[in-house]
Amino acid sequence: MHMLRFSISLALLAALPADALLLQQGATRFDIDPATLQIASGNTIVNQAQARQTVADLQSAPTQARWLWADSAMQVSVKLEDGDLRLSFSSSRAQTLNWFTLPQQASTLLLPIGEGSRIPLDNAVWQRYLVKEMTPLDTNWDLKLPLWSQEQQGKVYSWLLLTPFSNQVSFTGTEGVFGMRSSHQFNRFNQQQAFDVLLHVGETPLSGARRYRQYLQQSGQFSSLRDKIRTAPDGEKLIGATHIYLWGDKLLAPADVKNWPGLLSWLSSPPGETLRQKMDADSQKALRQLAGKTPEGWQQLPLIDALNQALITLTPLNATPDDSNFLEAQRRQAANVRELAQRQLGAYLTPADNWGQGLAKPLIEALHQAGLPRLWLSTDNWTAEFLHPQAVESAREFGYLIASYDSYDTAIPRGVNDSWLTAQLPTALREDCAIVRADGTKKPGFGKQGYYLNPGCVLPYSQRRMRDLVQLAGLNSLFLDVDGTGMVSDDYQPHHPTGAAQMAQARNARLAWFSDTLKLPLGSEDGNAVTARHIMFAHGMETWGFGWGDKQMNQDKASPYYLGAWWPNAQPAFFFSPAKVKEPYRTVEFDPRYRLPLYQAVFHDAVISSHHWNYDNLKFSDVKTARSLLSQLYNTAPMFHLSRATLQARLPEIKRADAAFRPLHQVLWDKALTDFRWLDSAGSVQQTTFSDGSTLIANFGSRPFEGIAAQSLRAKLADGRILNIMQ
């Protein structure tokens, strides 16, 4: 076999033209064909030939060269830098540069899809998935790090896109032959900027990610958690914290009623007519049928929902997004709703300080009494904080972080979906800051509603609203959606033309402003490398979004894969009801054999990662143990959805996850993840190593391995402690 590989290598090198360039520095050697950009590292072809170009003005030296592709007016330079090969392309006109083709000799592809994926290129499931669902792939959004690696003949060859924007990767599969290509788009926005790539040759699956971390540090683009906590000291509360979303943004929960017969009798009487008339017809009918009785549990929730809606209807919001006091008006409305409920219904309810569906003082106290000292808590919008300031105060008194979900990415007109609170932005901003595509049309927003907005254009407004939100709601943290995803585009709006790189800078500017000015811990979605510098935590890396258009997952209520409806308000089935994972997602996202901690190798001590909020620790019943073990192996935070109605059922799981995560994270939070390896041939036993020498070993298998129980984790900490964590 070794002789065969040697013969293949000689044959490949023979394919290089006689005038190929040789760059050599010590033991490092690269052969490059300037006409086709075919590249060999030692005896290995690492980039297949591209379409032949006419070469002019060739200048070469032992460690560098430059030339012109005359027909395409493209200047190319290559240079050895500390054992790496740096390629740089400059164009004098708008054009597409096809620069990379994966050699057929590559055996494995390492892609930072989510946390990271190890892809055997002969795996049919992976081939179909990449071709069908990941083509074309955007390197600053779909890839969470702007790089990929290929394993060939015992080496790992990593391509680091130092210019991470305006790049695409495409995959093909024809007659069982897998292909991968990459291109860079020079356009009016980036034409003056060189496209730079670094080729790094390493020995381990993490070598490319580790080299990218080094690049970020050397170029001043890396901020550790220690750095961020110095700016925002409350970020220390994230160390060892489980992340919990609290659901229900209405005033009352069924548990807030202490006298159901009295409440229903009052609502059915003349004094209750005003409220009763604002309830829906089914609820009014239930009132008549239940007069003087206590409703069954299944009847209580719709009655409470109808009552909450009636209270809101009788307390209208006297402002619109175009009013400068729109946020303050929402806070006043919440206070008026509380006052109305207390005045008319107080005799039948528990004390007002205990009200709430998710964000409620009894729930916060129960979490504290359960021995959970560190939690990050958030609501899906700020209405719950306005309605329940006493619960916010209680959370802060216990040392918890209390946050709200916020976003400035999509703006929709009033009346389209008023419950989508974060998208209620002033009309002028929606029109003037809308991203304009190359064809002159405005880019439709999320779910095809409204428009996507240019973050630079909307920055002053977002700064004002974030400051007001933190002050009015009493927050000491924030989750800012979309900015951390690296999702950017070119904006052709004449009044604010913006390229992709500039748009990423604008997203970073918003994240930096919050952290530097308000000095509170900030999180965002995903935490992509290009927008990770100013956030402390990110949701969406450990379990990332998938199957967005799949009918079984999103429409077929009889399917075991159905995720559920976004109802009821205080416990949406989409978030709370368990489901199973269908193929190919079970393989490509959750099979531990194909997972790799690429993102953690760069950012473990800089960004605390967790799941996409769609998929908490309990969402998928058939991969629950594997997901838990992966998070423990990578030392990333658990996530749960919670409401008062689900507290008792979910609290044991929360306590179990907290007990596994907190002690390890409190040791490892400021340590880099330096190594990863498989300890058995099946890939069922995996080990991560951290910069202090601590190791975590996860046994995903069904049998013990060297004293490590099946489906368990063993931590060997640098201080000598050994912890065994069972699932």
Side-chain angles (χ1 to χ4, degrees):
M1 178 61 73
H2 292 297
M3 182 59 70
L4 176 60
R5 287 183 175 176
F6 181 69
S7 300
I8 292 174
S9 297
L10 290 178
L12 289 172
L13 287 177
L16 284 164
D19 58 352
L21 299 169
L22 168 61
L23 301 187
Q24 191 161 8
Q25 191 175 48
T28 301
R29 168 179 176 147
F30 290 97
D31 293 274
I32 305 165
D33 179 4
T36 66
L37 209 66
Q38 181 168 286
I39 301 174
S41 172
N43 295 325
T44 304
I45 298 291
V46 296
N47 186 26
Q48 293 281 51
Q50 309 302 302
R52 179 169 294 276
Q53 302 268 359
T54 301
V55 176
D57 301 332
L58 176 63
Q59 304 173 42
S60 64
T63 61
Q64 58 186 318
R66 60 184 298 127
W67 62 89
L68 176 70
W69 282 337
D71 295 338
S72 56
M74 182 80 68
Q75 189 74 45
V76 185
S77 68
V78 292
K79 181 180 181 180
L80 292 182
E81 295 182 352
D82 298 324
D84 298 326
L85 178 65
R86 185 173 185 135
L87 300 89
S88 184
F89 305 85
S90 300
S91 174
S92 60
R93 69 183 190 219
Q95 61 177 306
T96 298
L97 166 68
N98 297 307
W99 68 275
F100 175 81
T101 301
L102 182 71
Q104 290 298 313
Q105 292 74 26
S107 60
T108 305
L109 189 61
L110 311 178
L111 278 181
I113 303 173
E115 175 62 59
S117 301
R118 172 185 173 270
I119 306 168
L121 293 178
D122 60 355
N123 185 296
V125 174
W126 266 107
Q127 286 189 13
R128 288 192 297 270
Y129 173 73
L130 291 175
V131 172
K132 182 179 178 181
E133 299 197 34
M134 296 301 290
T135 298
L137 181 151
D138 186 292
T139 61
N140 57 270
W141 180 18
D142 299 309
L143 293 184
K144 309 311 179 185
L145 308 171
L147 61 88
W148 63 83
S149 304
Q150 63 209 46
E151 291 184 358
Q152 288 180 242
Q153 299 183 2
K155 297 282 188 180
V156 177
Y157 301 93
S158 300
W159 303 88
L160 282 60
L161 307 185
L162 306 187
T163 308
F165 305 103
S166 303
N167 305 306
Q168 280 195 344
V169 173
S170 60
F171 303 100
T172 56
T174 305
E175 297 180 354
V177 178
F178 177 79
M180 172 183 173
R181 301 179 64 88
S182 186
S183 63
H184 177 77
Q185 183 71 42
F186 287 98
N187 58 34
R188 57 170 282 193
F189 296 108
N190 66 5
Q191 199 170 306
Q192 305 305 315
Q193 304 163 8
F195 169 55
D196 288 349
V197 180
L198 197 70
L199 171 59
H200 174 74
V201 183
E203 305 289 337
T204 75
L206 299 188
S207 58
R210 297 288 298 160
R211 180 63 183 92
Y212 181 65
R213 173 188 169 93
Q214 184 183 46
Y215 163 75
L216 292 178
Q217 291 173 325
Q218 292 172 339
S219 59
Q221 300 181 64
F222 184 89
S223 296
S224 70
L225 273 172
R226 281 198 177 275
D227 297 332
K228 295 169 184 177
I229 289 172
R230 276 192 286 269
T231 300
D234 265 1
E236 189 273 339
K237 297 174 182 176
L238 285 167
I239 299 170
T242 293
H243 295 216
I244 297 178
Y245 279 99
L246 301 175
W247 284 88
D249 62 357
K250 299 299 186 291
L251 182 65
L252 299 172
D256 296 323
V257 180
K258 67 179 182 182
N259 181 357
W260 276 102
L263 174 63
L264 300 189
S265 294
W266 184 87
L267 287 169
S268 300
S269 69
E273 182 178 4
T274 303
L275 264 177
R276 183 177 68 251
Q277 292 301 322
K278 299 301 181 183
M279 298 172 71
D280 62 88
D282 287 342
S283 296
Q284 292 187 45
K285 180 179 178 181
L287 285 177
R288 292 191 296 270
Q289 294 173 342
L290 290 168
K293 301 177 183 178
T294 298
E296 300 292 334
W298 62 271
Q299 295 171 308
Q300 293 177 8
L301 184 57
L303 283 169
I304 282 292
D305 283 345
L307 184 57
N308 281 322
Q309 188 56 51
L311 289 166
I312 293 171
T313 303
L314 291 174
T315 315
L317 176 62
N318 296 317
T320 73
D322 293 323
D323 296 320
S324 60
N325 66 338
F326 186 50
L327 201 61
E328 167 60 27
Q330 294 171 50
R331 190 194 65 80
R332 287 199 309 269
Q333 182 195 31
N336 291 337
V337 169
R338 280 176 60 87
E339 190 277 331
L340 177 61
Q342 179 63 51
R343 176 162 40 87
Q344 295 199 347
L345 308 175
Y348 311 104
L349 305 177
T350 60
D353 281 358
N354 289 334
W355 297 348
Q357 299 178 319
L359 179 60
K361 196 172 180 180
L363 182 145
I364 303 298
E365 291 175 343
L367 294 173
H368 177 68
Q369 291 167 4
L372 300 168
R374 289 174 174 257
L375 295 173
W376 179 87
L377 307 172
S378 184
T379 58
D380 67 326
N381 68 60
W382 49 82
T383 302
E385 279 87 354
F386 286 167
L387 284 168
H388 307 293
Q390 74 290 340
V392 174
E393 182 181 355
S394 180
R396 297 181 63 145
E397 287 176 352
F398 289 139
Y400 298 155
L401 291 171
I402 178 68
S404 174
Y405 173 100
D406 194 8
S407 179
Y408 299 89
D409 202 54
T410 292
I412 60 176
R414 192 73 171 157
V416 171
N417 182 1
D418 290 351
S419 64
W420 186 1
L421 204 55
T422 64
Q424 307 295 318
L425 274 67
T427 304
L429 282 182
R430 186 179 72 249
E431 297 298 328
D432 298 342
C433 294
I435 294 173
V436 174
R437 296 177 290 196
D439 62 5
T441 61
K442 293 180 178 178
K443 187 176 181 180
F446 183 78
K448 305 301 181 184
Q449 294 183 350
Y451 303 126
Y452 277 121
L453 302 179
N454 184 309
C457 178
V458 80
L459 180 60
Y461 171 82
S462 61
Q463 290 173 342
R464 288 193 301 272
R465 194 174 86 179
M466 285 189 292
R467 184 193 296 274
D468 291 346
L469 176 59
V470 165
Q471 293 175 346
L472 292 171
L475 307 178
N476 58 4
S477 180
L478 193 71
F479 179 86
L480 195 58
D481 197 21
V482 181
D483 280 356
T485 64
M487 185 180 77
V488 295
S489 59
D490 297 323
D491 182 3
Y492 291 84
Q493 160 61 253
H495 300 299
H496 47 77
T498 307
Q502 291 174 289
M503 192 168 289
Q505 291 173 358
R507 292 198 181 280
N508 277 318
R510 177 155 54 209
L511 298 169
W513 179 88
F514 182 92
S515 298
D516 296 343
T517 304
L518 301 184
K519 299 187 182 303
L520 295 174
L522 177 65
S524 190
E525 187 179 356
D526 287 0
N528 282 36
V530 297
T531 45
R533 185 176 178 185
H534 302 287
I535 60 175
M536 291 191 183
F537 62 96
H539 296 166
M541 198 62 65
E542 303 316 309
T543 303
W544 53 96
F546 62 94
W548 300 111
D550 187 273
K551 290 185 178 180
Q552 282 187 303
M553 292 174 59
N554 296 284
Q555 298 177 26
D556 184 0
K557 297 180 181 180
S559 170
Y561 312 119
Y562 179 58
L563 296 176
W566 283 60
W567 184 92
N569 171 267
Q571 191 180 321
F574 184 88
F575 295 98
F576 284 84
S577 295
K580 293 185 177 182
V581 182
K582 67 179 297 186
E583 291 291 2
Y585 311 114
R586 186 179 173 113
T587 292
V588 303
E589 185 153 354
F590 300 112
D591 191 326
R593 294 174 298 172
Y594 306 122
R595 289 287 294 263
L596 197 62
L598 295 176
Y599 186 85
Q600 296 307 313
V602 180
F603 288 115
H604 178 266
D605 57 343
V607 179
I608 299 171
S609 296
S610 189
H611 309 292
H612 192 287
W613 80 321
N614 283 4
Y615 316 124
D616 78 339
N617 275 48
L618 303 179
K619 181 61 184 179
F620 297 117
S621 58
D622 53 344
V623 293
K624 176 183 169 185
T625 298
R627 292 178 70 207
S628 179
L629 269 176
L630 281 166
S631 290
Q632 291 168 16
L633 180 65
Y634 301 162
N635 193 224
T636 59
M639 175 190 288
F640 293 91
H641 294 299
L642 193 62
S643 65
R644 282 178 72 183
T646 60
L647 174 63
Q648 294 307 313
R650 291 186 162 229
L651 189 55
E653 295 277 8
I654 295 172
K655 291 173 63 177
R656 188 177 300 115
D658 173 83
F661 171 68
R662 179 162 41 88
L664 294 182
H665 196 243
Q666 288 177 327
V667 172
L668 300 175
W669 69 275
D670 59 347
K671 310 300 188 297
L673 192 155
T674 57
D675 186 49
F676 171 86
R677 60 189 60 187
W678 296 271
L679 301 185
D680 70 334
S681 58
S684 297
V685 185
Q686 303 176 12
Q687 174 180 287
T688 51
T689 302
F690 295 82
S691 55
D692 67 345
S694 296
T695 61
L696 305 178
I697 303 174
N699 181 2
F700 295 93
S702 58
R703 297 179 179 178
F705 177 86
E706 296 183 0
I708 302 172
Q711 299 187 339
S712 74
L713 181 125
R714 174 170 292 175
K716 299 179 179 180
L717 301 180
D719 61 13
R721 284 182 294 161
I722 297 178
L723 305 178
N724 293 300
I725 301 171
M726 303 298 297
Q727 300 305 301

